[in-house]
């Protein structure tokens, strides 16, 4: 089902948390609300499921205006960060709860619960209590409970935050599989860009109560709308260096180093301050436009190695390379940049 | 709270439910400074008449209110101090120290904590008679302390339990003795607990009625609770305005302490379980 | 023993001393006293021997010869040294000497016989009135005299010229003993007294009703304030905490004012033409309603605090989840909140039951068991019997026996609670071993 949020405004006390935000989610799409904590992504989610009132704007589920409808009447499924399973009920009762509340008959409940349990692979757990389950299993139960009522939209609030690294990987693909199998419209709230990129069709990245960019993951990674988005997307993160425009080059602050500008952009005025974003995978040996520096930090990650290289003006660039002969701290290197991949930003962080 | 439920029906319901208490309390305060003609609910005039008990020399056979107040303060403060001091050491021992009979002591404290102490009043009365502590403030203080102690120890133990073990382990590793660790490192961590327990015991003693009534009924060791009850008992035609003035005077420390330390006390009421 | 052990025991010592003296000793003494006949009549220290009119009446019932008992009650006139020296002091040496010479050692049944004998003496006082007064100096009786020992009592008996055989001596000594003695009569009495059964019944009604009000109202308040905005919730909680924190004397005084025949309720209902009355003591039902409300409000205060803090421990997301799952307020309370309050409710019920069984202060202050004895619960009954009996002697022994029942229930229940509330978890071993 298509979900539309129009001119949504939310205030707590006197502070505006969200101002005039609009969002259009296509039917069957999985959208990520990505952002740092306090950016308003959870507030948006709570407004969509009706736990928070909207102070302005409209919310449409398909053609139906649900702006003032309480949670109970909205038909949304929510998976909370801590799963919020009811500790005194068995897994079966947990999943059956939304149906029982709707006074469905026993036979239907039975059928639906076992179907959904089958879908999320927890059939053998139905008799247990939540406390007897591992984090990943609880997560599956929470999903089952959210899906069993066949909701118009599935809301996932940081669903992977409480899992350990290995389970997180597993559940990432599981959630995506289940979402695609059911064809449900889903919204994922997360602060982890890897999660957002790997699970969702589109990402809405939020900062300070508004959406900064809304696009497909790959596009957003390659074409961030601002320095904020560029900094948020990618792990290990992008490095920024500051400088001024001289001819069609950028001279780095307090140094004689000059870097080329990406070909695609319009060259700004002479002497304008500029910020260049360079991703670790674009700062490599054997490229043109080489930059001399000293290796100041090495982080071994197994298949890859991450180097911090300090330039002569003190700026630091990161480079990620396949593990071969490992350099030592203090080694002098002269690596180069892949020119088309350099991202240029204006003084306010806007993309040039 | 969520926006899914309306709260005004609850507000109305609770307001009606609370009416008896609000009325009683409202008139408790109002009636101390007003006069009302019989049969009416609305007072006619303001007066300070009902507070004259504070300044008048008392009728023969009745103690002065100030003497009684002093007694009550001595009773409440001494009880509170003794309970806190004793609970501080015993609570620590039960929470943190290895010792013989530890399980037995813990079980004992827990059992006594649930035990309805008032059933012992007859035996205590006879004991005090035999030992000559009957009709003395000291006797009442000792008994009240003993009866408050199990709860006090249990609460203090609870506060000690929340102090991280690592603090003590670090202290020991730094070469301090167990005693020094307790005095210098652990004790400062339980200051809030001390304060809360002190207030709680003070209030409990301040409000205590049965013990002074039975164990020290005579004038010299009278406290406000028994003073007030005698006032009510003796009057054939009750002067509620005067009772309320004395009552408000008596309740004032309780209300003030409660207003200031509301949250601290709630924690103890929550932790303690005596009805 | 290791040093740490000594430190631990040293830290425990003051607490052990105080609780031992004023807690454990009373428990044991309650049991001890319950097997005695102590009362304000017998006193609590050892007793004495004293023959009273009551003793004389009781003696024949115990197989003591009636005539001898009557003799004990009679005055006799015995010419002894004490009487003679009194006589010489009041009526002069010569008369005293003559009496000694003529009558020394003799015993007379009545004054008349003695006066007749005295009239034969030359130095006697001239007026008959004076003669009678002088004769009275020899009047001897054992009635209502305290003797410190059995021997002293028996010596005085033989002094007045009554000789008793051994069994009669024992009966006399036992009957005339005024101190307390060991007995199991208290228990026989309790099992046969209708008033004890009524007190037990009253206690049952009292505990059941008060508990329902405390827990029910406490839950209602906790739930209601849970759904209110912060400020309002705090205000209502502050109102409802008053019964618990106000000193009982004041709290009950407020209720008395509310229900008095010149109080609020009467004055208020007067507007509707209802005659003023004492709403607390007007009838048994009124008294019961008052007592249950007075105690129930206090219990509800505590329940509200305990349940509120237990509710705050429920994660908000769980409540949100249930709302999203479609639960309305009633369903949320019933399916989500109440099941998670099971333990706090059970806990509060258990402890309140125990303290209600034993408590009597609010009843004592409000109805004092009245009207009649219709609201006298067991604990108040024990208190009245032993410590607050206007009608007669204070029966410490009987009171202790009544209290002992409560002490036994108290200890039994406490130990039981200890078991169900998972004692072993509470006594985890210290993590530092020195």
């Amino acid at each position: 089902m298509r979900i539309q949020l129009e001119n949504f405004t939310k205030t707590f006390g006197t502070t505006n948390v969200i101002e005039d935000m609009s969002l259009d989610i296509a039917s069957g799409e999985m959208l990520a609300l990505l952002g740092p904590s306090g950016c308003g992504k959870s507030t948006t989610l709570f407004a969509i499921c009706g736990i928070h009132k909207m102070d302005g704007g409209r919310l449409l589920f398909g053609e139906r205006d649900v702006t003032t409808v309480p949670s109970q009447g909205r038909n949304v499924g929510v998976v909370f960060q801590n799963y919020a399973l009811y500790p005194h009920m068995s897994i079966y009762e947990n999943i059956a709860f939304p149906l029982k509340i709707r006074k469905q008959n026993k036979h239907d409940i039975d059928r639906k619960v076992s179907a959904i349990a089958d879908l999320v692979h927890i059939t053998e757990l139905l008799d247990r209590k939540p406390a007897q389950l591992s984090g990943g299993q609880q997560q599956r139960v929470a999903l089952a409970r959210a899906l069993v009522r066949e909701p118009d939209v599935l809301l996932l609030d940081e669903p992977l935050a409480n899992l350990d690294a290995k389970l997180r990987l597993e559940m990432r693909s599981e959630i995506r599989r289940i979402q695609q199998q059911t064809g449900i419209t889903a919204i994922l709230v997360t602060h982890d860009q890897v999660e957002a990129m790997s699970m969702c069709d589109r990402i809405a990245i939020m900062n300070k109560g508004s959406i900064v960019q809304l696009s497909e993951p790959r596009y957003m990674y390659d074409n961030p709308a601002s320095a904020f988005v560029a900094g948020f997307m990618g792990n290990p993160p992008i490095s920024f260096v500051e400088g001024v425009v001289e001819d069609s080059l950028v001279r780095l602050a307090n140094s004689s180093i000059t870097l080329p500008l990406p070909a695609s952009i319009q060259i700004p005025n002479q002497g304008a301050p500029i910020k260049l974003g360079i991703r670790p995978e674009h700062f490599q040996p054997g490229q043109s436009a080489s930059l001399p520096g000293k290796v100041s930090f090495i982080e071994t990650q197994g298949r890859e190695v991450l180097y911090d290289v300090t330039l002569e003006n003190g700026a630091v660039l990161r480079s990620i390379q396949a593990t071969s002969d490992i350099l030592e701290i203090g080694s002098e290197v002269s690596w180069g940049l892949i020119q088309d991949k350099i991202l240029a930003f204006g003084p306010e962080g806007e993309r040039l | 709270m969520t926006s899914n439920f309306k709260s005004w029906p609850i507000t109305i319901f609770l307001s009606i439910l609370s009416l008896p208490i609000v009325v009683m309390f409202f008139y408790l305060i109002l009636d101390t400074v007003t006069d009302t003609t019989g049969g009416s609910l609305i007072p006619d005039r303001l007066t300070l008449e009902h507070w004259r008990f504070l300044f008048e020399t008392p009728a023969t056979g009745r103690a002065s209110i100030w003497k009684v107040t002093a007694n009550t303060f001595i009773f409440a403060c001494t009880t509170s101090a003794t309970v806190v001091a004793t609970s501080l050491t015993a609570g620590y021992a039960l929470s943190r120290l290895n010792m013989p009979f530890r399980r037995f002591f813990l079980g004992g404290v827990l059992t006594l904590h649930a035990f309805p102490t008032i059933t012992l009043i007859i035996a205590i009365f006879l004991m005090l008679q035999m030992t000559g502590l009957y009709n003395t403030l000291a006797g009442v203080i000792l008994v009240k302390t003993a009866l408050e102690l199990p709860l006090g120890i249990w609460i203090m133990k609870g506060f000690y339990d929340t102090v991280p073990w690592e603090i003590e382990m670090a202290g020991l590793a730094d070469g301090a003795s167990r005693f020094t660790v307790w005095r210098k490192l652990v004790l400062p961590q339980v200051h809030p607990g001390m304060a809360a327990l002190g207030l709680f015991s003070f209030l409990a003693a301040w409000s205590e009625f049965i013990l002074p009534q039975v164990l020290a009924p005579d004038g010299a060791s009278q406290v406000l609770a028994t003073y007030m009850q005698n006032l009510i008992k003796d009057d054939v035609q009750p002067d509620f305005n005067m009772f309320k003035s004395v009552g408000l005077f008596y309740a004032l420390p309780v209300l003030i302490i409660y207003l200031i330390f509301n949250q601290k006390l709630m924690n103890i009421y929550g932790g303690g379980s005596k009805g | 023993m290791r040093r740490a052990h000594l430190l631990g025991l040293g830290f425990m010592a003051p607490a052990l001393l105080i609780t031992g003296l004023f807690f454990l000793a009373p428990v044991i003494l309650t049991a001890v006293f319950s097997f005695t006949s102590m009362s304000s009549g017998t006193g609590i220290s050892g007793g004495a021997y004293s023959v009273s009119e009551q003793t004389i009446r009781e003696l024949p019932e115990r197989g003591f010869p009636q005539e001898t008992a009557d003799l004990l009650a009679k005055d006799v006139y015995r010419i002894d040294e004490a009487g003679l020296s009194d006589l010489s002091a009041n009526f002069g040496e010569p008369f005293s000497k003559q009496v000694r010479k003529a009558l020394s050692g003799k015993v007379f049944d009545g004054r008349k016989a003695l006066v007749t004998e005295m009239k034969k003496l030359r130095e006697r006082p001239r007026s008959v009135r004076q003669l009678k007064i002088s004769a009275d100096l020899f009047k001897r009786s054992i009635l209502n005299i305290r003797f410190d020992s059995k021997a002293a009592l028996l010596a005085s008996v033989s002094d007045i010229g009554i000789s008793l055989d051994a069994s009669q001596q024992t009966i006399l000594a036992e009957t005339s003993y005024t101190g307390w003695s060991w007995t199991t009569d208290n228990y026989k009495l309790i099992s046969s007294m209708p008033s004890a059964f009524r007190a037990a019944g009253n206690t049952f009604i009292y505990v059941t009703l008060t508990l329902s009000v405390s827990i029910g109202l406490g839950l209602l308040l906790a739930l209601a304030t849970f759904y209110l905005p912060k400020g309002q919730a705090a205000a209502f909680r502050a109102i409802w905490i008053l019964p618990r924190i106000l000193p009982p004397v004041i709290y009950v005084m407020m209720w008395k004012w509310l229900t008095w025949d010149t109080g609020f309720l009467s004055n208020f209902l007067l507007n509707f033409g209802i005659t003023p009355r004492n709403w607390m003591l007007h009838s048994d039902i009124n008294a019961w309603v008052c007592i249950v409300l007075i105690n129930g409000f206090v219990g509800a205060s505590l329940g509200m605090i305990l349940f509120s803090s237990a509710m705050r421990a429920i994660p908000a997301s769980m409540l949100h989840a249930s709302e999203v799952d479609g639960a309305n307020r009633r369903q949320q309370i019933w399916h989500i909140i109440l099941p998670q309050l099971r333990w706090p409710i059970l806990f509060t019920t258990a402890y309140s039951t125990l303290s209600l069984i034993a408590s009597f202060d609010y009843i004592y202050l409000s109805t004092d068991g009245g009207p009649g004895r219709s609201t006298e619960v067991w604990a108040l009954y024990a208190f009245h019997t032993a410590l607050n009996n206007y009608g007669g002697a204070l029966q410490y022994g009987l009171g202790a026996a009544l209290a002992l029942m409560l002490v036994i229930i108290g200890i039994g229940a406490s130990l039981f609670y200890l078991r169900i509330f998972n004692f072993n978890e509470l006594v985890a071993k210290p993590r530092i071993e020195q």
Side-chain angles (χ1 to χ4, degrees):
Chain A
M1 184 163 300
R2 180 178 177 201
I3 309 293
Q4 279 171 282
L5 194 58
E6 292 173 359
N7 309 105
F8 166 46
T9 301
K10 177 72 193 174
T11 52
F12 284 125
T14 53
T15 48
N16 269 2
V17 181
I18 306 247
E19 209 160 1
D20 200 25
M21 171 176 154
S22 296
L23 195 59
D24 189 340
I25 306 157
S27 185
E29 181 184 27
M30 182 150 177
L31 177 110
L33 283 177
L34 176 67
S37 52
C39 72
K41 57 189 191 299
S42 287
T43 308
T44 310
L45 180 115
F46 278 131
I48 294 173
C49 67
I51 285 162
H52 288 340
K53 254 199 210 98
M54 292 169 65
D55 294 317
R58 284 205 316 159
L59 175 64
L60 299 172
F61 284 7
E63 296 300 305
R64 181 169 164 238
D65 186 340
V66 294
T67 313
T68 55
V69 176
S71 297
Q72 288 88 342
R74 285 198 189 185
N75 198 25
V76 289
V78 185
V79 174
F80 292 88
Q81 178 173 348
N82 55 11
Y83 319 132
L85 300 182
Y86 311 128
H88 52 286
M89 299 182 192
S90 73
I91 299 309
Y92 178 92
E93 290 168 319
N94 261 284
I95 299 173
F97 184 72
L99 307 177
K100 203 173 122 196
I101 288 296
R102 288 177 174 75
K103 305 227 157 48
Q104 300 201 356
N105 72 49
K106 257 197 130 36
H107 182 76
D108 282 353
I109 293 180
D110 235 25
R111 188 173 47 75
K112 287 182 184 170
V113 171
S114 53
I116 203 82
D118 208 32
L119 177 74
V120 301
H121 304 325
I122 51 165
T123 311
E124 69 286 358
L125 302 176
L126 287 177
D127 294 331
R128 305 219 194 143
K129 286 279 172 74
Q132 297 167 297
L133 266 52
S134 70
Q137 291 169 326
Q138 292 193 25
Q139 166 87 87
R140 287 170 189 270
V141 176
L143 258 172
R145 188 180 66 187
L147 290 171
V148 74
R149 82 206 71 166
E150 291 153 23
D152 294 338
V153 57
L154 174 67
L155 305 176
L156 302 145
D157 184 16
E158 304 266 11
L160 305 176
N162 285 8
L163 296 177
D164 61 48
K166 190 164 163 284
L167 266 174
R168 202 175 298 176
L169 218 62
E170 174 192 325
M171 286 313 293
R172 227 151 66 185
S173 49
E174 273 296 279
I175 292 176
R176 181 60 165 165
R177 170 183 71 80
I178 291 162
Q179 186 263 332
Q180 282 174 335
Q181 258 178 43
T182 51
I184 190 171
T185 312
I187 299 174
L188 169 76
V189 161
T190 180
H191 63 271
D192 181 351
Q193 47 93 21
V194 181
E195 253 170 65
M197 286 180 61
S198 59
M199 293 167 73
C200 297
D201 301 308
R202 282 195 303 160
I203 297 175
I205 187 161
M206 292 182 70
N207 191 26
K208 293 178 186 150
S210 55
I211 293 176
V212 212
Q213 187 174 1
L214 175 59
S215 52
E216 275 131 39
R218 190 68 228 171
Y219 182 83
M220 185 177 276
Y221 185 79
D222 292 338
N223 293 294
S226 66
F228 171 79
V229 177
F232 210 85
M233 306 293 289
N235 183 30
I238 196 166
S239 342
F240 291 107
V241 288
E242 288 178 19
V244 287
V245 177
E246 276 185 12
D247 302 322
S248 59
L249 296 172
V250 174
R251 190 168 63 77
L252 296 192
N254 311 320
S255 77
S256 56
I257 308 170
T258 50
L259 291 176
L261 277 170
S264 56
I265 70 163
Q266 204 178 350
I267 294 166
N269 296 335
Q270 284 294 319
I274 195 168
K275 203 182 200 177
L276 297 182
I278 297 151
R279 294 203 184 274
E281 64 269 31
H282 303 144
F283 179 49
Q284 298 287 337
Q287 296 290 336
S288 60
S290 68
L291 285 170
K294 219 180 232 177
V295 174
S296 55
F297 185 74
I298 301 171
E299 192 180 299
T300 319
Q301 294 184 340
R303 198 174 56 232
E304 283 150 342
V305 188
L306 180 70
Y307 297 103
D308 281 8
V309 175
T310 307
L311 306 183
E312 66 170 66
N313 69 339
V316 177
L317 289 183
R318 281 186 210 94
S319 169
I320 192 156
Q321 301 171 14
T323 308
S324 51
D325 342 313
I326 295 175
L327 296 167
E328 277 175 26
I329 289 185
S331 315
E332 304 273 351
V333 294
S334 184
W335 294 334
L337 303 175
I338 301 173
Q339 198 180 339
D340 334 332
K341 301 287 185 176
I342 295 174
L343 303 168
F345 302 97
E348 303 299 314
E350 75 280 11
R351 181 83 189 275
L352 295 176
Chain B
M1 264 301 85
T2 71
S3 61
N4 282 321
F5 301 124
K6 292 190 188 69
S7 69
W8 63 262
I10 300 183
T11 310
I12 292 173
F13 168 75
L14 268 188
S15 302
I16 295 169
L17 192 68
S18 309
L19 219 52
I21 295 182
V22 173
V23 164
M24 282 196 280
F25 203 72
F26 175 71
Y27 276 94
L28 172 70
I29 294 165
L30 183 73
D31 281 356
T32 62
V33 289
T34 57
D35 264 331
T36 310
T37 324
S40 165
L41 294 175
I42 301 139
D44 325 305
R45 61 186 189 90
L46 284 173
T47 174
L48 286 175
E49 173 89 342
H50 311 303
W51 289 92
R52 65 182 182 278
F53 69 93
L54 288 178
F55 314 104
E56 266 178 356
T57 34
T60 37
R62 188 159 284 167
S64 138
I65 182 90
W66 296 110
K67 167 84 175 102
V68 174
T69 310
N71 276 346
T72 318
F73 258 107
I74 295 171
F75 172 47
C77 292
T78 319
T79 304
S80 165
T82 325
V83 169
V84 170
T86 320
S87 307
L88 268 183
T89 55
Y92 183 67
L94 288 177
S95 169
R96 290 294 158 94
L97 295 177
N98 266 317
M99 62 183 160
F101 311 119
R102 183 167 173 275
R103 275 182 68 90
F104 173 75
F105 289 152
L106 265 172
V109 168
L110 264 175
T111 316
L112 293 184
H113 164 59
F115 182 78
T117 50
I118 202 69
T119 53
L120 301 175
I121 186 94
I122 295 168
I124 290 175
F125 168 79
L126 295 175
M127 273 176 67
L128 291 196
Q129 290 248 335
M130 287 170 178
T131 50
L133 283 170
Y134 179 69
N135 242 335
T136 63
L137 210 48
V140 190
I141 290 171
L142 277 173
V143 174
K144 182 67 182 165
T145 304
L147 302 193
E148 285 294 313
L149 211 47
L151 180 69
I153 295 176
W154 191 245
I155 285 169
M156 252 2 267
K157 179 193 174 291
F159 278 102
Y160 280 121
D161 285 346
T162 62
V163 177
W165 274 102
E166 286 71 18
I167 287 184
E168 281 187 71
M169 292 175 177
L172 290 179
D174 291 344
S177 70
R178 267 328 269 279
F179 183 78
T180 314
V181 165
W182 171 68
R183 213 169 61 86
K184 301 267 186 191
L185 301 180
V186 181
L187 216 45
Q189 313 279 327
V190 295
H191 275 162
M194 273 170 76
L197 179 60
L199 282 174
F200 183 81
S201 323
F202 179 90
L203 289 183
W206 185 266
S207 306
E208 178 62 49
F209 165 68
I210 289 283
L211 290 182
Q213 169 83 358
V214 173
L215 304 179
D218 278 6
S221 45
Q222 209 167 37
V223 292
L224 280 167
T226 47
Y227 174 88
M228 200 175 149
Q229 177 62 8
N230 287 349
L231 218 58
I232 298 172
K233 267 253 151 92
D234 289 354
D235 254 340
V236 187
Q237 197 57 44
D239 176 359
F240 277 108
N241 292 57
M242 195 255 279
F243 297 167
K244 284 177 176 180
S245 306
V246 179
L248 195 59
F249 176 75
Y250 171 29
L252 223 47
V254 177
L255 296 174
I256 290 170
I257 289 178
Y258 176 69
L259 278 178
I260 302 175
F261 299 106
N262 183 354
Q263 206 44 53
K264 262 201 175 107
L265 285 168
M266 283 288 192
N267 290 342
I268 289 224
Y269 282 114
S273 56
K274 294 239 171 139
Chain C
M1 192 175 299
R2 286 189 293 174
R3 272 194 61 202
H5 289 178
L6 289 178
L7 184 66
L9 291 177
F11 267 38
M12 286 298 296
L16 289 178
L17 183 73
I18 298 180
T19 38
L21 272 180
F22 291 97
F23 223 131
L24 299 182
V27 170
I28 295 163
L29 285 178
T30 305
V32 173
F33 291 141
S34 74
F35 288 100
T36 70
S37 61
M38 275 187 199
S39 72
S40 51
T42 66
I44 53 172
S45 43
Y49 297 86
S50 166
V51 179
S52 63
E53 267 96 33
Q54 172 74 21
T55 321
I56 301 295
R57 273 197 300 278
E58 276 177 27
L59 276 172
E61 293 166 21
R62 300 199 180 190
F64 197 84
Q66 181 75 51
E67 313 85 72
T68 323
D70 290 343
L71 276 182
L72 282 172
K74 265 214 181 116
D75 295 337
V76 294
Y77 292 79
R78 181 191 161 85
I79 314 302
D80 56 15
E81 279 309 312
L84 286 168
S85 67
D86 281 353
L87 191 65
S88 90
N90 291 304
F91 294 89
E93 185 68 22
F95 182 45
S96 168
K97 272 193 175 150
Q98 281 187 341
V99 174
R100 181 193 299 275
K101 201 169 160 203
L103 305 170
S104 183
K106 289 197 172 157
V107 177
F108 301 87
D109 280 354
R111 189 166 66 183
K112 207 168 177 188
L114 176 59
V115 170
T116 311
E117 285 299 315
M118 279 180 164
K119 277 186 181 160
K120 295 174 185 161
L121 303 171
R122 271 188 45 214
E123 300 290 338
R124 67 175 198 274
R126 289 304 135 185
S127 89
V128 178
R129 216 172 73 85
Q130 288 292 314
L131 204 55
K132 281 183 181 168
I133 292 172
S134 71
D136 276 347
L137 293 173
F138 295 97
K139 186 166 116 179
R140 293 292 174 266
S141 164
I142 59 160
L143 223 49
N144 297 323
I145 296 174
R146 274 178 65 95
F147 298 99
D148 287 336
S149 67
K150 187 176 169 185
L153 168 72
L154 294 175
S156 294
V157 170
S158 75
D159 267 1
I160 61 168
I162 299 168
S163 61
L164 303 171
D165 61 33
S167 77
Q168 288 171 340
Q169 283 180 358
T170 316
I171 296 172
L172 177 63
E174 271 175 13
T175 319
S176 65
Y177 186 61
T178 63
W180 57 270
S181 53
W182 301 104
T183 173
T184 54
D185 286 354
N186 295 327
Y187 293 97
K188 288 182 198 142
L189 206 55
I190 291 174
S191 59
S192 66
M193 270 189 308
S195 51
F197 284 102
R198 188 178 47 202
N202 282 347
T203 308
F204 179 76
I205 301 173
Y206 165 67
V207 172
T208 319
L209 294 182
T210 309
L211 204 59
S212 324
V213 172
S214 313
I215 303 289
L217 190 58
L219 258 179
L220 189 70
L221 290 170
L223 283 169
T225 51
F226 183 68
Y227 282 107
L228 284 183
K230 261 207 175 97
Q232 278 188 43
F236 281 117
R237 288 203 189 111
I239 292 173
W240 278 96
I241 195 76
L242 282 171
R244 179 79 173 82
I245 60 155
L246 279 178
V249 181
I250 302 171
Y251 173 64
V252 173
M253 184 268 287
M254 285 159 72
W255 275 91
K256 277 191 165 161
W257 165 80
L258 194 75
T259 55
W260 207 260
D261 50 13
T262 57
F264 180 84
L265 212 52
S266 293
N267 283 340
F268 181 71
L269 292 174
L270 200 58
N271 297 331
F272 305 96
I274 296 167
T275 0
R277 67 186 72 158
N278 186 325
W279 289 94
M280 187 182 283
L281 294 170
H282 181 70
S283 72
D284 291 5
I285 300 287
N286 283 17
W288 272 111
V289 169
C290 284
I291 279 182
V292 168
L293 288 183
I294 289 174
N295 283 281
F297 279 18
V298 176
S301 274
L302 185 76
M304 175 186 73
I305 298 169
L306 293 174
F307 301 145
S308 289
S309 70
M311 278 181 215
R312 271 197 293 277
I314 299 176
S317 65
M318 206 170 292
L319 301 169
H320 294 159
S322 66
E323 285 161 34
V324 172
D325 285 346
N328 58 30
R329 183 143 57 195
R330 192 178 52 77
Q331 288 166 324
Q332 188 175 64
I333 291 172
W334 188 250
H335 292 293
I336 309 296
I337 297 180
L338 285 183
Q340 302 198 54
L341 292 186
R342 216 163 18 195
W343 275 103
I345 292 173
L346 193 66
F347 189 82
T348 312
T349 310
Y351 279 88
S352 303
T353 311
L354 193 49
S355 74
L356 278 176
I357 288 176
S359 75
F360 60 87
D361 41 355
Y362 287 101
I363 306 184
Y364 171 68
L365 286 168
S366 52
T367 67
D368 198 12
R373 305 176 82 172
S374 57
T375 54
E376 189 181 52
V377 295
W378 191 277
L380 185 61
Y381 180 49
F383 177 75
H384 278 154
T385 306
L387 301 174
N388 201 296
N389 184 350
Y390 296 112
L394 301 176
Q395 294 165 286
Y396 304 137
L398 182 58
L402 290 166
L404 187 67
M405 309 274 166
L406 297 177
V407 172
I408 290 170
I409 293 176
I411 292 177
S414 312
L415 289 174
F416 177 66
Y417 296 163
L418 213 57
R419 272 188 79 85
I420 51 172
F421 295 121
N422 228 345
F423 179 58
N424 279 326
E425 249 172 51
L426 297 167
V427 295
K429 272 224 159 252
R431 286 168 57 191
I432 294 179
E433 289 187 338
Q434 35 172 293

